[in-house]
Amino acid sequence: MASELPMASDTRLLPVVVPIRSLGPEHRDRIATHLLALPPEDRYLRFGYAANDEHIRRYVEQLDFEQDDIFGIYNRRLELIAMAHLAYSRDPNSANCAEFGVSVLPRARGRGFGRRLFERAVLHARNEGVELLFIHALSENVAMLKIARSAGATLERFGTETEAFLRLPPATLDTHMSELVNEQLAQTDYRLKQQAKSFWDFLDGVQETRQGVREARHRSGS
């Protein structure tokens, strides 16, 4: 079966427009905030069942940042608006396999974030020696299946669920350099957003203090 799967193109990936950075344990709270902000229908599509808040918190607590890879897109307010989970197989007989999952907040849809995260995950997976990438999705998850189909994946439908399989070509010097550059750009972008947020938070604090002083003067004058 594996020999019949199409091979992902080894052409150069599109330039990264949106910085995508690797996420670690220090981002766990923001990951939880992101997933908890998903409406019920999006939680159903992402997890394959009606995940409640407790399910999501348990999922976030069990994320293994050493075994798997998590990627995210932050806006300028440092809100995690899109994230992807690249989960590697724990089965010794399929050690070169990984599964991809993604979620995008409703207000951030239509910007190609899901596709960009998929490209980023594919690039990293190749560099990690992954040969076969899986996507398990509900058949009604049109957006996810469109991404998989556009990448050349083979789709097999089993009632309400669909499995997508994509064979990845070996890593090259170009894929390693591309990932290095992408990660450095994303890290720099994140630091700049941190600095900007701290500055604006400071100004907001100053404004609140000034407003409090003015109100106190007004009360004392009256």
Side-chain angles (χ1 to χ4, degrees), residues 37-181:
L38 294 174
E41 59 270 23
D42 289 340
R43 295 185 184 190
Y44 179 67
L45 292 178
R46 173 61 183 86
F47 296 102
Y49 63 93
N52 59 33
D53 289 358
E54 183 56 33
H55 292 145
I56 288 178
R57 291 191 181 95
R58 190 178 306 121
Y59 164 81
V60 174
E61 290 173 0
Q62 294 175 351
L63 285 174
D64 187 343
F65 292 93
E66 293 188 8
Q67 175 71 30
D68 297 337
D69 287 293
I70 316 293
F71 302 98
I73 297 175
Y74 282 99
N75 64 12
R76 61 184 178 181
R77 293 183 295 276
L78 286 187
E79 296 172 326
L80 187 61
I81 56 177
M83 63 163 285
H85 184 179
L86 186 62
Y88 298 93
S89 173
R90 271 63 166 176
D91 185 352
N93 296 321
S94 56
N96 296 328
C97 300
E99 183 178 4
F100 174 81
V102 68
S103 57
V104 181
L105 293 183
R107 68 175 184 274
R109 303 271 168 77
R111 307 180 200 176
F113 289 161
R115 180 172 62 88
R116 289 298 185 184
L117 283 165
F118 181 76
E119 291 174 350
R120 179 71 176 85
V122 166
L123 182 67
H124 184 74
R126 289 177 60 186
N127 290 339
E128 290 296 310
V130 172
E131 298 176 357
L132 196 60
L133 187 66
F134 293 87
I135 299 174
H136 180 83
L138 294 174
S139 298
E140 61 192 274
N141 194 344
V142 178
M144 185 68 258
L145 297 180
K146 181 180 179 181
I147 292 173
R149 188 177 292 108
S150 298
T154 294
L155 274 62
E156 295 184 4
R157 181 165 180 169
F158 304 94
T160 60
E161 300 179 347
T162 297
E163 293 279 358
F165 310 87
L166 181 65
R167 181 165 290 279
L168 304 182
T172 63
L173 176 61
D174 183 62
T175 61
H176 284 290
M177 291 303 297
S178 295
E179 182 170 28
L180 179 62
V181 171

Side-chain angles (χ1 to χ4, degrees), residues 15-57:
V16 176
V17 175
V18 180
I20 299 173
R21 66 159 298 171
S22 300
L23 305 183
E26 68 275 15
H27 299 265
R28 202 182 294 270
D29 288 344
R30 288 195 170 112
I31 291 173
T33 299
H34 165 80
L35 293 173
L36 289 169
L38 294 174
E41 59 270 23
D42 289 340
R43 295 185 184 190
Y44 179 67
L45 292 178
R46 173 61 183 86
F47 296 102
Y49 63 93
N52 59 33
D53 289 358
E54 183 56 33
H55 292 145
I56 288 178
R57 291 191 181 95

